[in-house]
Amino acid sequence: MFFVDTLETQGLGNRSYLAGGADAAVVVDPPRDIDRVIAAAARRGVRIALVAETHVHNDYVTGGLELARVTGARYLVPAGAQVSFARTPVADGDTVTVDEGLALRAMATPGHTPHHTSYALTEDGRGVAAFTGGSLLIGAVGRPDLVEPRLTERLARAQHASAHRLADELDDEVPVLPTHGFGSFCSASQAEGDATTIGEERRTNDALTMDVDSFVARLLAGLDDVPAYYAHMGPANAAGPAPVDLTPPGQADAEEIASRLAAGEWVVDLRGRAAFAEGHVAGSLNFEGEGKLATYLAWLIPWGKPVTLLADTPERITDAQRELARVGIDRPAAAATGDPAGWVRAGEQLASLSRARFADLADARGRGDDVVVLDVRRDSERASGWVDGSVHIPVHEVRGRIGEVPDGVVWVHCAGGMRAAIAASLLDAAGRDVVAVDDGFDAATEAGLTLTRPDATD
C-alpha cells in the first residue's frame, strides 16, 4: 500500500507532498523549511529516497537541494531547467523507483514554465496519483506569464496541451495533487475546493472544456498582478538556495529600534491591526502575522532592506521568521517582543491612527469633511465596482506613489481590512493623517455610499 501526505504552506498558498510505501518515499516540491518534511517522514517511519521538483519555482525558495543533501536522496529536476548545481535530470518518460512496486514517471507538461514536469505515481504499473505542480490545478492552471512576456501566449497554449495530455494518459479516478492554487499568485485563478481528480477536471476545468483559442483568450484576460519578489525567486532556486537559518534573531531595545528606523531600515509590527492602530512605534509598518505576511512584506519591501520584527510574543517572531525565510528574507536584523511601551525611548510616546467602518466614512462625507478615499485593492478587484470618487492605488504600489495621494484625511480601504492596515501604516509613517477602514467591502453599499460600476460608465 502507498500513502500520500500533504504538507500545507498556507501563507503562500502552496502544497508539498510526501508519498511512498513501507520503507521509502519521495518529496515533491518541498518548502524551504525542510524540518517539517523530515518530521513528516519520521512519523511515517520512511526514508526519503527521492526529492522531485516539478519546475524552478517563481513564488518561493525551494528546500529541495538542502533536503537532498541532508537525507542523501536523489534530487530530480527537469532536464530543461537551467540550474547551477548537481542534480538528477529527468526527461519525459523517465521512471524511477520509489519503493517496492511504487514508481514515479515523469510527464513533460510545459506551460507554467517551458521545462515544467508533472509526475505520475504508479503502483504496480497503475497510476494512483498525479503531482501536477503548476500545470493542471483544481479548476485552473498555473499562470503562463512568469517566465518571459514574449513566451506568455506560447506557454498558455502549451498549458492547454499539457492539461489534455494528463487527461488523456491518466484514468478519471486518479487524484490531481497540484503545488499551486490555494492562494498562490502562481495560479491563474484560485481553487474552489480542496481535492480533485482527473475526471472532475475533465468535466469542469476550462483547459479541458474549451477549445485552445477560447481558453487562451480567457486565461490571458484574467491574469493578475505579479508580486515583485517573484523576480528574485527563480534566480535563487536556479543558483541553489543556501540552507535556512532559523535561529532566533538578536533582541533589540528601544535605542536600537530608533537607530534602525533612522537608518531607513524597515521595522515591521506583526501585531493585529487593531493593536497597531491603538499604539505603535512611529515609522513602523503593520504587516499582520496572521495575514499573508510573506507575500505582502516580500512584495512591498525594497529587496535586501534589513527588517526588524516587533511582536507581542516570541512565538510570533519565530513563526514570522520561518514564513519569511520561505521567500528569501533570510534573517531578521533584530526583534523585540512584549509591551509596545518598551519599544520607544524614555520620554517618547507611541503613535496611533484611527480605524473606522464604511458607515463612518459615509457619515464623514455627509458632514462635508475633507475626505480622501484611497482604494488599495488590485485592479481585478476594483473592476467590479468602487466607491464613487475614490483614488485607486493598489497596496503594492502605495509606497512609491504616496505623492499622488491628494491632500486631506486619507480613508484607506481594501476588501476586508488587512491590506488597508498595511497601506495606512505606510501613509502614517510618511506623516499623513490617515483612517484605516476595517470593514468588508460589501458594507460600503449597506452604508449608503455610492458605488461606480464599470457597466455604468460605458
Side-chain angles (χ1 to χ4, degrees), residues 288-299:
E288 292 181 317
E290 293 286 353
K292 294 176 73 68
L293 171 66
T295 293
Y296 284 103
L297 179 54
W299 197 337

Side-chain angles (χ1 to χ4, degrees), residues 145-165:
D145 61 327
L146 301 180
V147 177
E148 158 61 52
R150 291 171 296 179
L151 296 178
T152 296
E153 182 173 349
R154 187 187 314 170
L155 289 176
R157 292 182 178 276
Q159 277 290 47
H160 187 271
S162 291
H164 278 267
R165 181 188 181 188

Side-chain angles (χ1 to χ4, degrees), residues 65-127:
L65 183 62
E66 179 65 2
L67 182 61
R69 185 189 70 80
V70 168
T71 63
R74 292 173 63 193
Y75 191 24
L76 311 181
V77 177
Q82 301 298 310
V83 296
S84 301
F85 49 82
R87 90 287 198 198
T88 299
V90 290
D92 185 46
D94 286 351
T95 299
V96 292
T97 298
V98 178
D99 201 357
E100 184 177 355
L102 203 62
L104 203 65
R105 177 167 64 92
M107 301 177 67
T109 49
H112 187 47
T113 66
H115 60 264
H116 190 282
T117 300
S118 299
Y119 298 95
L121 184 68
T122 63
E123 185 179 42
D124 298 328
R126 178 179 60 90

Side-chain angles (χ1 to χ4, degrees), residues 92-283:
D92 185 46
D94 286 351
T95 299
V96 292
T97 298
V98 178
D99 201 357
E100 184 177 355
L102 203 62
L104 203 65
R105 177 167 64 92
M107 301 177 67
T109 49
H112 187 47
T113 66
H115 60 264
H116 190 282
T117 300
S118 299
Y119 298 95
L121 184 68
T122 63
E123 185 179 42
D124 298 328
R126 178 179 60 90
V128 293
F131 301 106
T132 55
S135 184
L136 187 65
L137 312 183
I138 300 179
V141 295
R143 58 193 298 170
D145 61 327
L146 301 180
V147 177
E148 158 61 52
R150 291 171 296 179
L151 296 178
T152 296
E153 182 173 349
R154 187 187 314 170
L155 289 176
R157 292 182 178 276
Q159 277 290 47
H160 187 271
S162 291
H164 278 267
R165 181 188 181 188
L166 289 165
D168 290 344
E169 295 189 20
L170 298 171
D171 294 337
D172 278 358
E173 65 270 18
V174 172
V176 174
L177 304 173
T179 301
H180 303 313
F182 310 95
S184 169
F185 280 82
C186 271
S187 176
S189 61
Q190 297 310 312
E192 295 185 359
D194 193 54
T196 191
T197 62
I198 290 291
E200 181 64 21
E201 293 309 303
R202 192 193 308 279
R203 290 186 294 273
T204 61
N205 196 304
D206 284 352
L208 297 170
T209 61
M210 301 176 71
D211 67 83
V212 63
D213 291 334
S214 300
F215 166 77
V216 168
R218 176 175 290 187
L219 178 63
L220 298 186
L223 294 175
D224 213 332
D225 299 308
V226 178
Y229 72 92
Y230 276 25
H232 305 282
M233 299 298 95
N237 287 324
V244 67
D245 180 2
L246 296 177
T247 56
Q251 292 297 299
D253 58 15
E255 193 65 45
E256 182 177 351
I257 291 170
S259 295
R260 291 189 178 280
L261 281 168
E265 297 181 8
W266 275 33
V267 174
V268 171
D269 192 325
L270 301 168
R271 294 175 301 150
R273 51 190 180 266
F276 179 86
E278 184 176 342
H280 57 270
V281 177

